[in-house]
Amino acid sequence: EDQVTQSPEALRLQEGESSSLNCSYTVSGLRGLFWYRQDPGKGPEFLFTLYSAGEEKEKERLKATLTKKESFLHITAPKPEDSATYLCAVQAPRGGYNKLIFGAGTRLAVHP
Amino acid sequence: GAVVSQHPSRVICKSGTSVKIECRSLDFQATTMFWYRQFPKKSLMLMATSNEGSKATYEQGVEKDKFLINHASLTLSTLTVTSAHPEDSSFYICSARDPRGTIYFGEGSWLTVV
């Protein structure tokens, strides 16, 4: 059965305190792993797509990596504006379509 | 970057009435759009996959007759909640896949049924 597990569920950091969020997945036929940021009451904002093990992508203070079983979202020297829920999703073919299967998210709070 | 627009962002309707939510891809043509529902502090739950020119594919447990989805053009999909009841109150979000395969989300629509 397809499964996407994110940890930790919630994370509190001090401004400047680097950390990593984890996304473990079990899915057959992976067609990409997506990271999104979601602010309260808003739709998810696209961050990265990773397609193959060993791939890395960076954007400002964020860096995403991918292995065959998990992905990490590294946050370097976070700022309060990085506070949000970070969602991981895997895309796989199901029933003739490519579907996104989401994890439950990690709620990140960065305090000054 | 690519933009997906949803309208309305908030809507209140009376129990028993129907309400329509629109999802538009502004920067690209989207052959596939998705509709999600999100409960407070929960992740996104896929309701259905909408393909231009064909019937939507609904996830198990989602009532087709209650949540009508139409994807009449390559830039527009609509979700109509029919005979709405208070338990249908939720945050509904659409997404669209661009030609490169990236999936972008709309801002979401808050539905309150009173």
Side-chain angles (χ1 to χ4, degrees), chain A residues 9 11 21 36-40 45 75 79-87 105-110:
Chain A
E9 188 175 314
L11 181 62
L21 313 183
Y36 291 89
R37 169 195 169 125
Q38 187 175 26
D39 293 300
E45 175 190 342
I75 303 177
K79 298 181 178 181
E81 52 262 42
D82 295 323
S83 298
T85 295
Y86 289 85
L87 297 170
T106 294
R107 294 192 306 279
L108 173 65
V110 182

Side-chain angles (χ1 to χ4, degrees), chain B residues 23-26 28-30 33 52 71 73-77:
Chain B
C23 177
R24 293 181 185 274
S25 59
L26 302 182
F28 58 91
Q29 293 184 328
M33 290 184 170
E52 188 267 338
H71 194 155
S73 77
L74 287 171
T75 59
L76 174 65
S77 177

